[in-house]
Amino acid sequence: TPFEFSMKDNYKLTYFNIRGRAEPIRMLFRLAGVQFEDRRIELEEWPKMKNKTPFGSLPLLEYNHEQLGQSQAITRYLATRFGLSGRTPLEEAQVDAFADCIVDFLNAIDEFHLVACGLQPGSKGELYERSFCPARDKLFTVMQKQLKKNGSGWLVGSSITSVDIQLACVLKQMLDESGRGEDEILRGFGTIGEHQNKVHSHPRLAPYIESRPKSQF
C-alpha cells in the first residue's frame, strides 16, 4: 500500500543534463503523475555541490527539507510512495531482486561505460566483447525467463512497476553506448525489446519519451 502523499508535495531531483541513473526516477514521477522540479546541472557546477550531498554523488532527491541520495534508494522510496513497487510484500521483494540484477549489470560494464562515454581511454570494441556481451547475456537471460514465466507483459505481477522502467532504461543505454543496432543487441532476446515497447507506449510515459531532452547517454 503506498504511503499517503499530496499532489502538492514539493520534490526536487538534481542530476546532470543526461539520462543516466536519474532517468528511471524521472519516469517514475511521470508514471505516477506527480510534479517535481527536474534540476539538470552542468559538469562545471558539480564540484561546488559535491560536499553538500549525502554521499558525494548524484542523483539527489530533496523532499520536505530532507535529502536522499543513491539512485536505487530514491527509486525504491518513490516506487513505494506511488504504489509502483509491487502489490504484496513478495512482489516488492521480487521487484528489488530484479532491480539488483540490473545494478549487477551496470557494475559489470562500468569500464565499458566509461570508455563508450569518452570518460576514460580504452578499446570500446575489446570491452564490448569481453565485458559488455557476457553481462548483457546474463541479464537478458534472467529477465526474458521472468517475462515469459510471469505472462502479464510486466516483470512482476499484473501491472507496471519501477523495475519495468529500469529495464527499459538500461536497454536504451545499451543501444546508445554500444552503437550497435537492435538486431544485434537483442539477438535471441526479442521479448526484452517487446517489453521496452510496452513500457515506452504506456499512456503516461509515451509523451515524455517523445519529448524528453536528447542526450548522449
Side-chain angles (χ1 to χ4, degrees):
T1 302
F3 296 115
E4 292 296 323
F5 67 93
S6 168
M7 297 298 282
K8 296 181 180 179
D9 283 346
N10 184 24
Y11 295 96
K12 179 165 73 172
L13 178 68
T14 301
Y15 194 61
F16 304 105
N17 190 27
I18 57 174
R19 293 189 306 274
R21 299 210 175 199
E23 195 64 9
I25 302 167
R26 294 176 181 132
M27 290 174 67
L28 268 178
F29 276 115
R30 264 72 180 200
L31 183 60
V34 175
Q35 296 295 315
F36 73 107
E37 181 183 344
D38 186 11
R39 183 186 180 195
R40 297 171 180 246
I41 68 167
E42 300 301 326
L43 282 174
E44 53 267 25
E45 299 177 67
W46 172 233
K48 295 180 181 179
M49 293 180 54
K50 187 172 184 178
N51 291 335
K52 298 178 182 179
T53 65
F55 304 103
S57 63
L58 295 178
L60 173 68
L61 180 70
E62 296 174 80
Y63 168 68
N64 284 355
H65 308 293
E66 295 288 344
Q67 292 184 332
L68 182 61
Q70 300 291 357
S71 59
Q72 288 300 307
I74 296 169
T75 298
R76 286 193 296 268
Y77 170 69
L78 293 177
T80 299
R81 285 186 66 84
F82 301 158
L84 297 166
S85 62
R87 295 183 175 181
T88 67
L90 177 59
E91 286 189 4
E92 289 177 356
Q94 290 172 330
V95 167
D96 286 344
F98 288 114
D100 284 346
C101 288
I102 293 174
V103 173
D104 289 344
F105 166 80
L106 293 172
N107 289 337
I109 68 157
D110 186 58
E111 186 178 4
F112 171 84
H113 163 74
L114 293 173
V115 171
C117 295
L119 299 175
Q120 77 175 36
S123 171
K124 178 177 172 180
E126 189 271 331
L127 288 167
Y128 176 80
E129 297 295 337
R130 175 164 60 86
S131 62
F132 179 94
C133 288
R136 174 207 56 193
D137 291 350
K138 181 178 180 181
L139 175 68
F140 280 0
T141 297
V142 169
M143 295 298 184
Q144 182 157 277
K145 179 180 179 181
Q146 174 62 15
L147 285 166
K148 291 180 177 179
K149 176 184 176 183
N150 194 39
S152 68
W154 307 114
L155 280 163
V156 177
S158 58
S159 59
I160 190 171
T161 64
S162 57
V163 76
D164 291 301
I165 291 175
Q166 288 176 285
L167 180 58
C169 285
V170 86
L171 173 55
K172 173 65 173 169
Q173 177 181 333
M174 287 185 195
L175 292 167
D176 288 352
E177 292 185 2
S178 69
R180 313 289 174 117
E182 288 189 13
D183 288 347
E184 180 173 344
I185 296 298
L186 291 170
R187 186 175 298 123
F189 299 105
T191 303
I192 305 295
E194 294 169 4
H195 172 265
Q196 186 195 57
N197 291 337
K198 187 175 177 69
V199 172
H200 284 186
S201 62
H202 190 285
R204 286 192 172 179
L205 293 176
Y208 171 68
I209 298 297
E210 182 66 26
S211 63
R212 65 184 172 186
K214 305 297 182 184
S215 66
Q216 181 185 0
F217 51 89

